[in-house]
């Protein structure tokens, strides 16, 4: 009887060991599958980000192409001209060009090439120019149509504040005017 109990115990131990080994292999295989799936999800997210950046780059090229045509041909500019009718044609063309510069900066931000702090630094440099500030004032109505929670509206409000600070400033050291916002890249939102 003792021999049978010992054999039964050995058999039970062997079966338990086999079950544990099988469970361990199953867990390891499950873990590998999970890691592979997580890797696949990450790859898809990166592909989506790359596609979004390509689309933004294409949009920026299209914007520049269309705006260039408007700058070169006043009859085409009339299609997109929403500025005050009393503004001379030469000034309107300057506004279109100023818009191209601002839109370029906006797209750099949207593409994740510059963060919010860098956007602010570049905007601070751009808006040192009185003509850029004049354009900004003239385009206020265009920005008023934006959804207030959009990135474009939020960045517009940052520039609004910056322009006020530049105009109120009594220093020639333009690079110290204003308080840069906290970092906020598109991926952080």
């Amino acid at each position: 009887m003792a021999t049978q109990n010992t054999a039964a115990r050995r058999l039970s131990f062997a079966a338990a060991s086999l079950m544990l080994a099988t469970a361990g292999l199953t867990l390891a295989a499950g873990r590998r599958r999970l890691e592979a799936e997580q890797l696949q999800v990450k790859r898809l997210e990166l592909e989506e980000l790359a596609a979004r950046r390509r689309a933004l780059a294409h949009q920026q090229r299209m914007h520049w192409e269309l705006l260039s045509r408007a700058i070169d041909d006043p009859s085409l500019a009339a299609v997109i001209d929403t500025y005050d009718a009393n503004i001379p044609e030469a000034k309107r063309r300057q506004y279109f060009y100023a818009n191209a510069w601002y839109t370029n900066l906006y797209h750099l931000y949207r593409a994740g090439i510059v963060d919010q702090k860098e956007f602010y630094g570049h905007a601070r440099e751009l808006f040192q120019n009185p003509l850029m500030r004049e354009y900004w004032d003239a385009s206020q109505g265009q920005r008023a149509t934006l959804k207030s929670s959009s990135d474009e509206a939020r960045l517009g409000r940052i520039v609004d504040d910056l322009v006020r600070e530049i105009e109120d400033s009594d220093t020639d050291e333009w690079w110290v005017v204003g308080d840069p916002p906290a970092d906020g890249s598109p991926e952080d939102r």
Side-chain angles (χ1 to χ4, degrees):
M1 186 71 129
T3 306
Q4 285 179 344
N5 283 339
T6 303
R9 272 191 232 122
R10 283 187 190 147
L11 189 55
S12 292
F13 180 75
S17 295
L18 185 58
M19 285 175 54
L20 283 174
T22 303
L25 289 175
T26 303
L27 283 174
R31 199 172 308 130
R32 281 192 303 276
R33 272 193 308 275
L34 179 61
E35 288 171 357
E37 288 171 3
Q38 288 172 336
L39 212 54
Q40 176 70 3
V41 167
K42 185 66 175 170
R43 187 181 65 75
L44 290 172
E45 287 172 350
L46 290 173
E47 285 177 6
E48 180 184 351
L49 179 62
R52 196 173 354 176
R53 285 186 174 168
R54 283 191 303 273
L56 283 169
H58 176 72
Q59 173 59 36
Q60 185 176 6
R61 281 190 301 276
M62 289 300 300
H63 179 264
W64 173 245
E65 178 69 28
L66 293 168
L67 207 47
S68 292
R69 289 179 183 181
I71 291 169
D72 294 340
D73 185 344
S75 69
L76 296 178
V79 172
I80 61 168
D81 189 353
T82 58
Y83 299 110
D84 185 315
N86 297 323
I87 297 173
E89 181 184 317
K91 180 72 70 174
R92 290 170 191 268
R93 291 172 72 174
Q94 290 174 329
Y95 287 178
F96 289 140
Y97 190 67
N99 175 267
W101 273 98
Y102 177 75
T103 302
N104 179 62
L105 180 57
Y106 172 71
H107 280 293
L108 287 172
Y109 173 78
R110 286 290 312 257
I113 296 169
V114 299
D115 63 19
Q116 190 169 284
K117 207 172 205 175
E118 291 168 312
F119 171 90
Y120 187 86
H122 290 299
R124 181 168 39 198
E125 181 178 358
L126 269 178
F127 285 95
Q128 286 309 304
N129 184 307
L131 188 55
M132 281 297 292
R133 294 193 305 273
E134 202 177 300
Y135 147 74
W136 194 253
D137 184 52
S139 63
Q140 182 179 11
Q142 297 163 356
R143 289 188 310 283
T145 65
L146 298 172
K147 183 179 175 184
S148 65
S149 61
S150 70
D151 276 343
E152 194 171 359
R154 185 177 53 76
L155 292 173
R157 288 188 297 273
I158 288 172
V159 173
D160 286 340
D161 292 342
L162 174 62
V163 167
R164 271 192 296 280
E165 290 172 350
I166 289 170
E167 289 177 348
D168 293 345
S169 174
D170 59 356
T171 181
D172 291 334
E173 297 175 340
W174 60 264
W175 55 91
V176 299
V177 173
D179 280 324
D183 183 23
S185 64
E187 289 80 22
D188 293 340
R189 291 169 296 194

